[in-house]
Amino acid sequence: MKITDVKIFVCSPGRNFVTVKIHTDEGLTGIGDATLNGREKAVVAYLEDHLVPILIGRDPARIEDIWQYLYRGAYWRRGPVTMAAIAGIDMALWDIKAKAAGMPLYDLLGGASRDRLMCYSHAQGSDIGEAVDAAGALIEKGYRAVRIQAGIPGLPPVYGADGTTTNTASENNLPREELWSTSKYLRHTPGLFEAARNALGWDVELLHDVHHRLTPIEAARLGKDLEPFRLFWMEDAVAAEYQEGFRQIRAHTTTPLAVGEVFNTIWDARLLITEQLIDYIRMTSVHAGGITPLRRVVDLAGVYNVRTGFHGAMDMSPVCLACNIHLGYWAPNFGIQEYSGYPDEALEVFSGTWTMREGHLYPGQGPGHGVEFNEELAARYPYERSYLPVNRLEDGTLWHW
């Protein structure tokens, strides 16, 4: 079998997605996700100008060799653009291999380690009452794990603290600038989880996303303040670059820690995993370079009692979510899967066989990862430039978004 063509698609059925479709001389095709939220066109250029030409004529079954060629063969490697581009190709190759074998992807990876995947979704509100009510509504739908965020008194809407959407722009179509106060956030957040436990009880898992906005000692203080409410995890407590800072956080709190959605390689996670400074690794197939390298991260994490919590927000396409579900079905150290859902139009363009029932995800049982891409329908949703917000402190200092 040989690769005969590789096509790149950019569409916006509710938000922008970059899709890779690989064709072979035996008629099998595979699709992968190469989306990098807010920088989609940079990945398209990397694929079309640099990777696609060197794939034609290669054997798609040699996934490991192709991955090493695309990664090690480039002197300038790593980084989100490079790894998202490689990921799109890698997912498509695994899709082809599983289709050729006539089995679902998780079987090709080694078979199922469980019967279902617990997932969590997002509950948010402009204030504590609204956020707790939103969490209650999810629990009524069957979720047993909910991430809760609430607006902060004295601040305008801020992404990651209330219901503000992720891709937003100001009137001139440039990034919207948001306002942040660490002191107000630290005073407010423990009250959110006290109210949540009082209203929702103790049979539901509660999660919280800090969104990289604290220093290590501030994160340690928050983790200690949240200990009475037994969070499932505190996510992205500090900027991902501050890996050594997790030593300070770990020394002061027993609140479980999760990080990694912006990580691109195993090297980004190595110290955190081997020193057991985190409890959940949040890397995801599209940002980590595909299924091939993410399996290695899962194996390394398992040695050190770190479980998976793959990123699963709408900034990756249903193709990536499907791959994450298959990986989670296989991974012996699976922890939980994020699931924020998709707009209806996205699920029409990307028709998938995975299902979600009563707070649990199930992979499709057909060959491959189970997602198909409708090219004709995708053409009705052209790319729309969008940005993630920019964050500033109250004195105007640029801060972590």
Side-chain angles (χ1 to χ4, degrees):
M1 191 186 305
K2 300 294 182 183
I3 296 173
T4 57
D5 195 10
V6 183
K7 295 182 178 179
I8 313 300
F9 302 88
V10 186
C11 63
S12 187
R15 65 186 307 139
N16 293 320
F17 298 117
V18 179
T19 303
V20 177
K21 187 172 185 178
I22 296 179
H23 295 257
T24 68
D25 59 358
E26 295 187 11
L28 286 177
T29 62
I31 60 171
D33 181 19
T35 306
L36 184 60
N37 191 6
R39 295 294 184 268
E40 298 88 356
K41 289 294 190 71
V43 180
V44 172
Y46 194 95
L47 282 162
E48 292 181 341
D49 295 341
H50 305 292
L51 300 190
V52 169
I54 59 178
L55 289 173
I56 306 303
R58 294 184 180 273
D59 181 356
R62 297 185 62 176
I63 299 175
E64 184 66 45
D65 183 68
I66 290 175
W67 193 92
Q68 296 293 341
Y69 189 91
L70 298 180
Y71 180 78
R72 294 188 183 215
Y75 184 76
W76 307 107
R77 56 198 187 196
R78 302 174 67 175
V81 173
T82 296
M83 301 309 283
I86 294 175
I89 293 167
D90 188 75
M91 289 183 217
L93 294 176
W94 278 101
D95 192 27
I96 291 171
K97 183 177 276 286
K99 288 175 179 175
M103 61 179 61
L105 177 57
Y106 72 82
D107 264 343
L108 195 65
L109 295 172
S113 293
R114 59 198 44 81
D115 300 321
R116 57 184 183 172
L117 305 181
M118 182 171 71
C119 63
Y120 72 92
S121 193
H122 304 167
Q124 54 253 337
S126 59
D127 56 30
I128 288 176
E130 195 173 282
V132 172
D133 287 345
L138 288 172
I139 294 168
E140 289 180 1
K141 292 180 180 179
Y143 284 94
R144 305 313 305 163
V146 181
R147 194 193 81 176
I148 306 182
Q149 317 288 134
I152 302 167
L155 292 182
V158 182
Y159 174 76
D162 56 22
T164 304
T165 56
T166 55
N167 285 57
T168 52
S170 60
E171 292 181 0
N172 58 359
N173 200 31
L174 295 175
R176 190 185 72 240
E177 295 193 3
E178 298 181 340
L179 198 62
W180 180 253
S181 168
T182 297
S183 60
K184 291 174 182 175
Y185 167 75
L186 290 176
R187 290 196 301 269
H188 178 66
T189 303
L192 166 63
F193 285 94
E194 181 179 18
R197 281 297 180 209
N198 288 338
L200 307 174
W202 294 87
D203 291 332
V204 61
E205 302 288 359
L206 302 180
L207 302 83
H208 184 64
D209 187 357
V210 181
H211 226 263
H212 302 118
R213 292 185 176 124
L214 302 180
T215 66
I217 197 63
E218 290 167 346
R221 182 190 309 161
L222 178 61
K224 196 169 186 65
D225 288 345
L226 294 177
E227 285 177 10
F229 312 114
R230 295 290 192 270
L231 267 61
F232 187 88
W233 77 35
M234 181 172 70
E235 175 186 344
D236 290 348
V238 299
E241 295 91 337
Y242 298 161
Q243 295 192 28
E244 292 82 357
F246 278 82
R247 294 172 180 152
Q248 190 173 19
I249 304 170
R250 195 62 133 184
H252 291 286
T253 181
T254 58
T255 294
L257 303 173
V259 73
E261 69 181 64
V262 299
F263 288 176
N264 305 130
T265 72
I266 195 169
W267 307 110
D268 297 324
R270 182 189 61 82
L271 183 145
L272 296 171
I273 290 173
T274 58
E275 292 192 13
Q276 296 179 287
L277 299 178
I278 58 173
D279 302 279
Y280 296 90
I281 182 65
R282 298 257 304 126
M283 293 173 70
T284 192
S285 299
V286 66
H287 301 144
I291 295 166
T292 298
L294 191 53
R295 282 206 304 170
R296 294 193 178 95
V297 174
V298 171
D299 282 333
L300 178 65
V303 173
Y304 293 94
N305 297 309
V306 175
R307 292 188 284 175
T308 66
F310 297 143
H311 179 60
M314 286 184 288
D315 61 351
M316 52 182 224
S317 86
V319 177
C320 180
L321 179 65
C323 291
N324 288 348
I325 291 172
H326 281 275
L327 277 166
Y329 219 55
W330 154 78
N333 53 323
F334 169 79
I336 198 169
Q337 174 63 53
E338 181 180 19
Y339 178 72
S340 63
Y342 291 96
D344 290 341
E345 55 267 40
L347 295 177
E348 293 172 354
V349 172
F350 299 91
S351 56
T353 57
W354 49 263
T355 56
M356 199 283 289
R357 301 191 302 274
E358 296 184 341
H360 290 83
L361 289 162
Y362 301 81
Q365 297 303 310
H369 55 51
V371 177
E372 296 299 329
F373 179 68
N374 188 322
E375 298 179 33
E376 182 178 342
L377 187 55
R380 302 180 191 175
Y381 301 101
Y383 167 79
E384 299 178 7
R385 187 179 68 184
S386 63
Y387 290 96
L388 298 171
V390 172
N391 213 359
R392 291 186 184 273
L393 300 180
E394 291 178 296
D395 68 356
T397 302
L398 196 67
W399 198 239
H400 305 291
W401 178 73

